[in-house]
Amino acid sequence: MNSFQFLVAVTASLGGLLFGYECGVMNVVLVMDAFRIFFKFHNWNGDALNENGKKIKNDTQEKWYRDLKEADNKAMLEGVITSSFVLGALCGALMATYLGEKFGRQRTIMIGACIFTCGAIIQGLSARTWIMIAIGRLITGLSIGCNGVLCPTYISEVAPAKIRGTLSSCYQLMTTFGIIVAAIINSIVWYYTNIKPEGLGKPRSNIWEEVPNFEWRFALLFQVVPGLGLAILMSFLPKSPRWLCSKDRDEEAAEVLAKLNATSTSDSVVQEELKAIQEDVAATRAAGSSSVGELFSPVIRRRTFITFLMQLFQQWTGINVIMYYQSQIYGEIGFTKFMSTVVLPIINNFVNFISTFPGMWGIERLGRKTLLIIGSLMMMVFHISTWAFSTQTFRGKMWQYFAVASIFLMVFSFAWTWGPVPWVYQAEVFPLRVRVKGSAVGTVSNFLNNWIIAFVGPALMKAWSTKTFLLFAAACLLAWIYSQFYVIESKGLNLEEMDAKMAGKA
């Protein structure tokens, strides 16, 4: 791998950074007092809490936080605002099929970044209605859904076969990096705006009156920076050589391949890659234009079902309930506001980021299927232990730390296995003629189930508390059965060999 190939893969992976920041920012924004009051999740009559988040018993106690009163529709509004992003992503994944084939992967990713920027501006400038911020999140979701299909596909089409899985994992790595960036930036903002704010202990005549809204507006508007950054950087990257060949632009494809391989267009490596792509394109055309129905043909349908179910189980591992609502989960376990909002989320997100690196190593050495099997079993165990420890927190702090350690270990188990594998797998198993459509099936499955999880998550946690982890443990058991008996290994094959294996020719 040369430096240009690496630069192309990392830049395209910045689409994952946008996804990660959008996911990570909401965990902190949802517990910002100003956001909660502005959108009427809570009201505030001026009462205060102490350092441990407990009610002030006498005037001699130091006042630390606002004592907010939860509105009856809080869980519903929280679910709608959070899940509107995922609903947009679902629509974006469906749009990616048409846009990616018509305008190309590179140009569509660039347009998607601009759409993301527009959605971020709408969120940050939202009026006092949940409808406006939900629309803004839906628009950013359109971009994330579209780029969630096209970024891994683009990377897989410019990466050498022997390291394609590692480079495709960059998308997941940047997603986890985006989450930790969001956690650090917005935890700092929360710290300086929610601890010992003005007005503590002073009665308020209007309990719904706004407090200064800088904190959450800044957090959401900051998304403009990575959005514009991706759009600008993508304008310098080449178009996919496979897409160029599919449009009869073979000379341009040869030039891109030469640049990616740091050699001339006449080099044997370039000519061999170009020939393989041209043969695949010719075979595709001979079979006629592709349709969605072709994804369910006898030759392709198994990989379609594998991809759909892989992304379904990825979401039902419960990872995004933890990532979206982790501050509230830590509070439920018994930690203070500061620990729940600042310290533990940053640690957890750092675990998530660091744990992606073993996945980038293991995906080529151990294989996609092996990682799925290991990950599903590990996550099942740690979901169960999280629930078990959380039932004993009344016995003391030690049990609280055991419970949170189990959450961290569950996130570790996900980040190096089920985090990267579905994205790599769906980008490499489909033939060129239906590659974008097939990848879209996986991404649609991901965001559809993500939307369900995001919408019902607050209600589940309110009704079941930490028993919710047992539901996810059961889902991980099903994920193990699926991985063990249904998934086909795809390690080490180039894209053309993949077609032959999946079609039963090798």
Side-chain angles (χ1 to χ4, degrees), residues 257-299:
L257 288 170
K259 193 171 184 179
L260 288 169
N261 288 282
T263 185
S264 66
T265 55
S266 59
D267 188 89
S268 60
V269 173
V270 172
Q271 291 302 312
E272 286 174 8
E273 287 188 28
L274 181 63
K275 183 180 178 181
I277 295 170
Q278 289 171 330
E279 289 175 351
D280 191 36
V281 170
T284 297
R285 287 176 175 167
S289 60
S290 66
S291 66
V292 175
E294 189 173 341
L295 294 173
F296 302 96
S297 66
V299 174

Side-chain angles (χ1 to χ4, degrees), residues 209-390:
E209 182 183 356
E210 297 175 36
V211 296
N213 289 303
F214 163 80
E215 55 195 76
W216 65 268
R217 291 194 187 278
F218 171 82
L220 297 176
L221 284 171
F222 190 80
Q223 296 173 105
V224 170
V225 176
L228 287 178
L230 176 61
I232 293 169
L233 290 173
M234 283 302 299
S235 67
F236 295 102
L237 298 193
K239 293 178 172 60
S240 161
R242 286 178 170 81
W243 180 80
L244 288 169
C245 282
S246 72
K247 300 299 180 182
D248 294 322
R249 295 160 66 176
D250 292 4
E251 289 185 7
E252 291 180 62
E255 291 173 1
V256 171
L257 288 170
K259 193 171 184 179
L260 288 169
N261 288 282
T263 185
S264 66
T265 55
S266 59
D267 188 89
S268 60
V269 173
V270 172
Q271 291 302 312
E272 286 174 8
E273 287 188 28
L274 181 63
K275 183 180 178 181
I277 295 170
Q278 289 171 330
E279 289 175 351
D280 191 36
V281 170
T284 297
R285 287 176 175 167
S289 60
S290 66
S291 66
V292 175
E294 189 173 341
L295 294 173
F296 302 96
S297 66
V299 174
I300 299 176
R301 66 188 175 200
R302 178 161 184 168
R303 52 188 125 180
T304 301
F305 290 128
I306 289 175
T307 298
F308 182 88
L309 290 172
M310 194 177 292
Q311 291 284 17
L312 179 150
F313 282 121
Q314 189 205 56
Q315 290 305 305
W316 283 96
T317 61
I319 185 64
N320 278 327
V321 166
I322 294 174
M323 304 314 292
Y324 290 151
Y325 306 115
Q326 58 180 310
S327 291
Q328 297 173 59
I329 292 172
Y330 302 140
E332 185 75 19
I333 291 173
F335 287 96
T336 65
K337 270 196 170 188
F338 178 73
M339 287 291 290
S340 298
T341 306
V342 178
V343 178
L344 295 177
I346 290 177
I347 295 173
N348 184 46
N349 294 331
F350 186 73
V351 169
N352 188 32
F353 174 66
I354 292 298
S355 303
T356 306
F357 289 98
M360 296 175 72
W361 170 85
I363 203 163
E364 297 296 354
R365 288 162 180 78
L366 301 177
R368 286 68 161 149
K369 180 172 180 172
T370 302
L371 289 188
L372 294 178
I373 292 170
I374 293 172
S376 54
L377 291 174
M378 290 177 68
M379 287 187 289
M380 180 180 68
V381 169
F382 293 127
H383 274 313
I384 294 171
S385 64
T386 299
W387 165 77
F389 291 139
S390 71

